[in-house]
Amino acid sequence: MVQPASLVTVHNKPAPPITGVIFKPRIPEVVIKDKSTHSEHGVIHYPFWFGGAASAVSTLFTAPLGITTVRPRNLLSYRIVLFMLHSFVYKRNLTSVHVLTASMTRIATYSTIRFGAYEKTKELCTTPSHAPSPVTLAAIAAMSGFSGSVVGNFADVVCARMQNDLSHPPEERYAYKNIADGLNKMIRSEGWSSIWRGVWINAGRCGLSTVTMLAGYDVFKGSLLAHTSMTDTPPLHITASLGSGFLTTLICNPIDVIKARVITAKADNVGVVDAFKRARVNEGHLFMFKGLTPAMISRAPSTVIIFVALEQLRVMYRHANDLEEYDG
């Protein structure tokens, strides 16, 4: 049966221009080297919690570095990173265990949600022939990071205060024993609104950092697979994660400085604008890059461990489910 001319015209219409912005064709050579797609089963769907587990592994290794990045952002005098690490290892090891409870709670909420939501949405948008474009990956990452941050904001506030306590004299410290004690004291003395302190700047920052970190990693990884002889192995993961970590630190450090001052402030009426104006008047415009060097030192190993651990979890999943095809 011959179809009407109008129907044939509709069927032959080119794809809308927006399609080229949202999706991009996958390079066959990259599909072969990238182990995220199986020749028979298609795109592999990994467990939701893999990202949170990888973040937990990273935190266990880099917790001392995480504390040193908070202190230069809040102190007017810059302290040498090695001195702070020495102090942490030899004098603060008990406190570090207490801080770790807040860090792990933050990971269980924020990190798990942002990684899980990002990866699951990306998998649903990927086929053996097409994948989300960098613009689409950035949008997915922004929404995932924003959502995860809102859910985990209470843990972020407690964690930042416990880390910042080490830079204050004993009489000015919050002295939280762990995440549960911190939440209890914070709500009793400041009300329920205290768990939402800095929530919007924190959510905006986490949305931006998720774009530069997760989407950035995928873009770096895809570019390296397409333009070099590297395959989906640890050297590729380390290289892509270093690029992602550098980009994240450089872009997010100014926001981190403001965020840390807002959520650790003793007064209830300290907002983003007030904190920015006060710091600019007292310290000049360069205050936004305070702590950049220790942040770089902390971010590099943290990001590498996260993505290497994540990729190893994927390898184990593929082996366990007989989905491993290429050992290049």
Side-chain angles (χ1 to χ4, degrees):
M1 179 178 179
V2 180
Q3 293 181 333
S6 58
L7 185 58
V8 175
T9 302
V10 171
H11 283 179
N12 292 336
K13 273 188 176 181
I18 189 64
T19 304
V21 177
I22 299 176
F23 300 102
K24 64 175 183 178
R26 300 181 70 184
I27 303 172
E29 292 78 7
V30 173
V31 176
I32 294 174
K33 292 196 291 184
D34 185 1
K35 300 178 181 179
S36 64
T37 303
H38 192 273
S39 59
E40 295 181 3
H41 300 281
V43 177
I44 300 173
H45 293 263
Y46 297 101
F48 188 90
W49 53 269
F50 269 12
S55 299
V57 172
S58 175
T59 298
L60 291 174
F61 282 99
T62 61
L65 295 175
I67 288 183
T68 64
T69 63
V70 176
R71 302 169 98 180
R73 291 172 181 158
N74 293 281
L75 297 174
L76 295 180
S77 60
Y78 185 84
R79 297 192 178 185
I80 300 175
V81 176
L82 292 179
F83 172 78
M84 290 190 293
L85 286 173
H86 177 274
S87 175
F88 176 90
V89 172
Y90 291 102
K91 299 179 182 179
R92 315 290 190 185
N93 38 9
L94 181 60
T95 303
S96 68
V97 175
H98 298 159
V99 175
L100 197 59
T101 63
S103 298
M104 285 301 182
T105 304
R106 182 175 184 268
I107 287 169
T109 51
Y110 162 63
S111 296
T112 301
I113 290 174
R114 74 160 177 163
F115 266 96
Y118 172 79
E119 293 294 338
K120 284 300 177 185
T121 308
K122 182 184 71 175
E123 290 167 2
L124 292 173
C125 294
T126 303
T127 68
S129 61
H130 287 76
S133 67
V135 174
T136 304
L137 289 176
I140 295 172
M143 291 185 289
S144 302
F146 188 93
S147 303
S149 175
V150 172
V151 174
N153 192 75
F154 71 96
D156 199 38
V157 175
V158 176
C159 185
R161 289 184 174 188
M162 293 178 74
Q163 290 177 335
N164 191 52
D165 255 4
L166 302 179
S167 64
H168 291 296
E171 64 274 9
E172 296 181 10
R173 295 178 182 175
Y174 289 102
Y176 298 153
K177 296 178 181 179
N178 48 53
I179 180 67
D181 181 62
L183 278 174
N184 181 53
K185 289 181 177 178
M186 194 165 66
I187 293 172
R188 284 191 174 187
S189 61
E190 304 172 48
W192 283 96
S193 62
S194 61
I195 68 174
W196 302 111
R197 183 187 292 271
V199 61
W200 300 124
I201 185 175
N202 196 26
R205 185 268 178 200
C206 290
L208 180 60
S209 70
T210 306
V211 171
T212 55
M213 185 176 175
L214 273 62
Y217 174 79
D218 283 332
V219 170
F220 279 122
K221 181 181 176 181
S223 298
L224 290 169
L225 285 172
H227 302 293
T228 71
S229 60
M230 301 180 77
T231 58
D232 198 354
T233 53
L236 171 69
H237 308 151
I238 293 172
T239 305
S241 61
L242 284 173
S244 168
F246 176 81
L247 184 65
T248 301
T249 305
L250 188 64
I251 293 178
C252 294
N253 193 78
I255 303 176
D256 285 340
V257 174
I258 296 295
K259 184 196 77 170
R261 299 187 183 204
V262 170
I263 65 179
T264 59
K266 293 284 186 178
D268 291 333
N269 58 349
V270 177
V272 175
V273 177
D274 293 332
F276 178 82
K277 288 181 178 179
R278 189 178 304 173
R280 186 184 61 180
V281 170
N282 296 334
E283 305 169 54
H285 291 287
L286 291 180
F287 85 92
M288 293 187 295
F289 295 97
K290 187 179 291 291
L292 182 61
T293 299
M296 288 284 187
I297 294 173
S298 170
R299 180 73 64 179
S302 172
T303 308
V304 169
I305 293 172
I306 286 175
F307 285 112
V308 170
L310 177 61
E311 296 288 2
Q312 291 306 304
L313 286 172
R314 291 171 174 172
V315 169
M316 290 188 288
Y317 181 84
R318 291 196 299 267
H319 279 295
N321 293 275
D322 198 24
L323 297 171
E324 193 70 61
E325 290 186 299
Y326 179 67
D327 295 323

